[in-house]
Amino acid sequence: MALSNKKSPNSQPYRMLILAPYDGFEIMINKVIADRKDILADVYQAPVDHVEAVLSGLNLNKYEVVICRGRSSYIASQIVDLPVVTVEFSPMDILRGLRLAATNQKKMAFVSFFKMEETIRFLANFMNIPESTFIVPPAPESNEEMQQLILDLHMEYGVDLFIGDGACMRTARQYGFDYILITSGSECIESALSSAIEICDMGRALVAKNSFYRSALLNTGYHFAIFKEDKDLCDTNITRSIAGNQVITSMKSHISAVLRHGSINYIAESVSGNFKIKGTLFEQDNIRYVLFICFEAFKINKHLSGFVSYREPPELSEDLRLVNSVSSLSKLLTETMKHAPGLTPVIITGSQGSGKTTFARSIYLSGAYTQSSLAEIDCKSINKKNLSSLICDDVSPLYETNTVLILKNLDAMPIELQQEFADSISGMEFKRRIKIIATVSGKLTELIPAKKLSSDLAYLINGHTVDIPPLHNNIDLISSIARSYLNELNQTLPEQLAGFEPAALDKLAAFNWNYGITQFKLTIKRLASNASSAFITEAAVEAVLSEYQAAPIIESVSDNCIELNGSLEDITHKVILKVLDEEDMNQCRAAKRLGISRMTVWKHLNEKKPSTPPRIKNSISSLFAVFIRKQGA
């Protein structure tokens, strides 16, 4: 197929970066583009393990498209934002290799990163090459796999001739084996150049058509980025830097959410600060694009970051699956969405550890405001200073619009602070901007008379009340949750489990789960991991539950109080565990908040301290010590 000398729309040469994995490919490329007046190309020789180094040392702004071969294309697409075109192998390339191999009496193997197993077998059969003389193993995924595969084929199958691409050739040559290099012919190179030109033309047409809109965006003073729905970056004025790359990566991760909802608002973090970003979907010429506008940087108030956390829908999907898997909870969720649509507030009541936060997150995921992040406030951690930050800081979630705010453990906030909070928000008309979901341990009719919940605050945030049934003595709830979670675990277990003995479920239902669903799920996970048969037995449940009963219950202490007895190492250990608890056991967030490495957090979470009280050393109770204050989880 001959490639025509197509002129670009603005008569400027197409600027291409071409990476050649070996000498022969570079020679072939230069031969094909030698007489082309419409292509301005830089050709660099870069084996697959040198691609990243070569790209990092180039000014990529000079180019419109990158052309690579084989696995180099995958690596390049992960590094650069330019479109990447792959020079493929054709059946003719394979046929040339087979013809060379047919004259050789050695046992051969086709080993390469390209995946053309069916084509190879068809052509070998067409040329009457006996199947006993050649092997086509699965394509390796890395150079290390390539090396191991070639050695295994030689040792186990007696293969002495290896046929493949440049990576196969280098490895075979390294070990002294014979090889035949399969190269991409000129027809494949010309096809790739044609695709690259089409991509360049599309990009130039898009830039020309939207030049007015780009000028308007630039005049706003905001940073922006435009993506196609397949996450290809079309245009941006965000400079290339560590912070800029972090923001662009964040935008790419939110494209799917914009495609689902039409628009979203979220906060992106970078080394230079935090940014409010708005994403909007629009369509042009039957192609969907996503426009992100990046507003000014701001600093999160350190007092806010200590008790306010933001969560995205994907990380909460397990909560919704759990609720929907339990018929009684699923029915309760449906009724809640019917009686509390839109921004109608919800108060969730129930016993300690009944799963109120899980249910609250499910309300958020089932509503119309998942285009914005979910803000969660742990009211147990609120003191006078924290409350002032929540009310006065301009980045407080109280001042967002069309979003959801969960007030966890509202009754754990001191009653005088609850009253101050009620007085402060009474004139905000927040019900028109945000949906508030509050969780409390107990019933409103008991908490308000006992002065554990401010009647003024309850009045302000009450729109619909939901009572979550307890786990204790609830065989239907225990059975549904246990079976649902076991189905999830079965996806990772080496041997599938069929379920529970009826008596085992009875034992689980009769147990008093002091730490709620979190403790219950960890118990199911341990039972599943140690199961010796297809069913989890009553004896296995009794053995695990007896350890819980033997472990003393740790007395609850104030969230804002850390005992300072012991060595500096012991105190450090307590602080790290407390922050982990407040961050829902997320090691990355805890490490960032403390200014230490994630490895340090992991070490403190897993090691046994010599001076730690014996009850913490218990292999079971230690799992739940860090959850003791998560009353509403």
Side-chain angles (χ1 to χ4, degrees):
M1 178 182 69
L3 186 66
S4 63
N5 288 328
K6 183 178 179 180
K7 294 293 184 181
S8 61
N10 56 7
S11 299
Q12 294 295 320
Y14 299 102
R15 304 184 307 278
M16 301 182 183
L17 170 62
I18 303 175
L19 301 182
Y22 46 84
D23 294 335
F25 189 88
E26 182 179 3
I27 294 170
M28 182 75 71
I29 282 280
N30 284 319
K31 182 178 179 181
V32 171
I33 66 175
D35 298 326
R36 298 296 300 266
K37 304 299 183 184
D38 59 334
I39 294 177
L40 185 62
D42 290 336
V43 183
Y44 291 86
Q45 189 172 143
V48 65
D49 50 350
H50 292 169
V51 169
E52 185 172 357
V54 171
L55 289 174
S56 63
L58 296 175
N59 177 15
L60 298 176
N61 293 325
K62 295 167 48 180
Y63 308 108
E64 298 175 87
V65 67
V66 179
I67 299 177
C68 301
R69 227 307 320 127
R71 190 170 177 81
S72 299
S73 298
Y74 171 77
I75 297 173
S77 65
Q78 303 301 305
I79 300 173
V80 303
D81 290 323
L82 295 170
V84 177
V85 175
T86 302
V87 179
E88 303 288 357
F89 284 120
S90 71
M92 288 299 297
D93 301 325
I94 301 297
L95 188 59
R96 282 192 287 265
L98 279 170
R99 284 175 176 172
L100 291 172
T103 62
N104 198 303
Q105 301 300 316
K106 296 181 178 180
K107 191 166 186 178
M108 67 188 79
F110 285 82
V111 183
S112 197
F113 290 124
F114 61 84
K115 298 180 179 180
M116 299 184 67
E117 290 88 348
E118 293 184 7
T119 301
I120 294 170
R121 295 184 188 281
F122 173 81
L123 292 175
N125 181 61
F126 177 76
M127 295 180 63
N128 294 319
I129 298 178
E131 290 188 9
S132 59
T133 64
F134 71 94
I135 298 174
V136 187
E141 296 295 329
S142 65
N143 285 325
E144 291 73 18
E145 285 190 26
M146 175 75 76
Q147 294 172 358
Q148 189 61 51
L149 180 59
I150 283 181
L151 289 175
D152 290 345
L153 289 171
H154 176 71
M155 298 297 295
E156 296 181 22
Y157 298 97
V159 174
D160 291 315
L161 175 62
F162 295 90
I163 308 169
D165 62 6
C168 171
M169 175 196 71
R170 286 190 296 274
T171 304
R173 186 167 54 193
Q174 174 186 349
Y175 294 118
F177 300 134
D178 290 339
Y179 59 85
I180 294 175
L181 174 64
I182 296 181
T183 60
S184 296
S186 59
E187 65 275 5
C188 293
I189 294 174
E190 290 175 345
S191 176
L193 287 173
S194 293
S195 298
I197 288 173
E198 289 181 9
I199 291 172
C200 291
D201 283 341
M202 289 174 60
R204 292 181 180 188
L206 180 64
V207 171
K209 190 175 291 185
N210 291 288
S211 59
F212 169 77
Y213 301 107
R214 188 178 197 278
S215 299
L217 285 170
L218 287 172
N219 289 333
T220 65
Y222 294 126
H223 294 295
F224 71 89
I226 302 175
F227 297 85
K228 286 185 181 179
E229 62 178 314
D230 59 4
K231 300 187 178 182
D232 279 346
L233 180 63
C234 299
D235 194 14
T236 183
N237 66 342
I238 299 174
T239 57
R240 288 296 173 196
S241 64
I242 295 177
N245 289 339
Q246 287 177 324
V247 171
I248 290 290
T249 300
S250 169
M251 290 174 172
K252 281 186 176 181
S253 68
H254 285 81
I255 288 176
S256 298
V258 179
L259 294 175
R260 285 195 303 271
H261 303 292
S263 67
I264 65 167
N265 297 283
Y266 74 97
I267 294 174
E269 296 182 356
S270 76
V271 293
S272 62
N274 302 277
F275 298 85
K276 289 185 178 180
I277 296 179
K278 178 178 179 62
T280 306
L281 176 66
F282 67 95
E283 187 171 319
Q284 182 173 326
D285 297 335
N286 295 321
I287 300 176
R288 296 197 298 174
Y289 299 93
V290 175
L291 166 67
F292 288 101
I293 302 270
C294 186
F295 298 91
E296 72 279 358
F298 64 91
K299 292 184 178 180
I300 294 290
N301 187 307
K302 64 179 181 180
H303 298 301
L304 280 176
S305 62
F307 64 95
V308 178
S309 58
Y310 290 90
R311 303 184 185 280
E312 301 291 336
E315 64 180 293
L316 304 177
S317 57
E318 184 180 337
D319 296 81
L320 183 59
R321 280 199 303 269
L322 177 62
V323 170
N324 284 333
S325 68
V326 182
S327 58
S328 59
L329 293 181
S330 179
K331 183 179 179 180
L332 201 57
L333 179 61
T334 301
E335 289 295 315
T336 300
M337 301 310 298
K338 177 181 177 181
H339 291 99
L343 297 175
T344 303
V346 179
I347 294 182
I348 304 174
T349 67
S351 60
Q352 177 181 315
S354 57
K356 298 185 291 297
T357 301
T358 298
F359 193 83
R361 292 169 177 169
S362 298
I363 294 176
Y364 160 70
L365 290 174
S366 303
Y369 302 109
T370 50
Q371 71 273 19
S372 297
S373 300
L374 170 68
E376 293 186 0
I377 295 180
D378 188 356
C379 295
K380 292 188 298 182
S381 301
I382 292 183
N383 55 29
K384 182 76 173 178
K385 184 179 293 186
N386 291 342
L387 183 61
S388 176
S389 298
L390 181 64
I391 295 170
C392 301
D393 199 298
D394 59 357
V395 296
S396 168
L398 291 176
Y399 302 105
E400 295 290 343
T401 58
N402 294 328
T403 188
V404 178
L405 172 62
I406 295 181
L407 298 172
K408 297 191 298 185
N409 311 303
L410 183 59
D411 54 311
M413 187 194 303
I415 190 69
E416 64 275 8
L417 296 184
Q418 291 185 37
Q419 190 60 50
E420 182 179 344
F421 184 41
D423 294 339
S424 300
I425 67 174
S426 60
M428 287 185 180
E429 296 187 350
F430 61 87
K431 291 183 181 181
R432 296 183 181 181
R433 294 183 290 101
I434 58 176
K435 183 183 185 75
I436 286 187
I437 305 173
T439 70
V440 295
S441 295
K443 297 183 179 297
L444 296 182
T445 53
E446 299 172 353
L447 293 171
I448 294 175
K451 302 296 183 183
K452 292 184 177 180
L453 183 64
S454 164
S455 58
D456 291 340
L457 182 57
Y459 173 77
L460 283 171
I461 65 173
N462 193 20
H464 178 69
T465 302
V466 183
D467 186 44
I468 303 298
L471 290 177
H472 185 61
N473 286 331
N474 193 332
I475 185 63
D476 292 335
L477 194 58
I478 286 290
S479 300
S480 297
I481 296 176
R483 292 191 177 103
S484 172
Y485 190 50
L486 185 60
N487 287 337
E488 288 186 32
L489 293 174
N490 269 333
Q491 299 176 24
T492 60
L493 294 174
E495 295 184 11
Q496 304 292 286
L497 298 179
F500 298 79
E501 290 182 351
L505 289 174
D506 291 338
K507 289 286 184 182
L508 292 170
F511 186 73
N512 188 14
W513 298 99
N514 293 311
Y515 309 118
I517 287 180
T518 299
Q519 181 189 18
F520 180 66
K521 289 176 68 175
L522 287 172
T523 301
I524 299 301
K525 186 173 185 178
R526 183 183 177 198
L527 289 168
S529 301
N530 296 333
S532 57
S533 64
F535 287 88
I536 294 176
T537 64
E538 178 185 12
V541 172
E542 282 185 340
V544 171
L545 297 185
S546 65
E547 295 184 25
Y548 295 161
Q549 292 166 338
I553 296 178
I554 305 171
E555 295 181 2
S556 178
V557 296
S558 170
D559 268 6
N560 298 316
C561 177
I562 297 178
E563 294 185 11
L564 301 181
N565 298 325
S567 65
L568 177 60
E569 186 178 7
D570 291 333
I571 296 171
T572 302
H573 186 67
K574 294 173 185 175
V575 171
I576 291 176
L577 289 184
K578 182 180 186 302
V579 174
L580 269 168
D581 179 27
E582 293 176 355
E583 295 295 343
D584 286 342
M585 303 307 294
N586 187 303
Q587 296 178 34
C588 290
R589 289 202 299 265
K592 183 176 181 180
R593 181 173 156 192
L594 291 165
I596 59 179
S597 69
R598 183 182 175 187
M599 183 60 69
T600 301
V601 174
W602 179 87
K603 177 181 177 183
H604 278 269
L605 181 61
N606 288 276
E607 69 180 359
K608 295 181 179 180
K609 292 289 180 180
S611 58
T612 302
R615 63 174 179 268
I616 301 295
K617 291 183 180 179
N618 183 283
S619 61
I620 302 302
S621 61
S622 62
L623 286 173
F624 307 114
V626 293
F627 295 110
I628 184 63
R629 290 182 293 277
K630 299 178 66 170
Q631 306 287 327

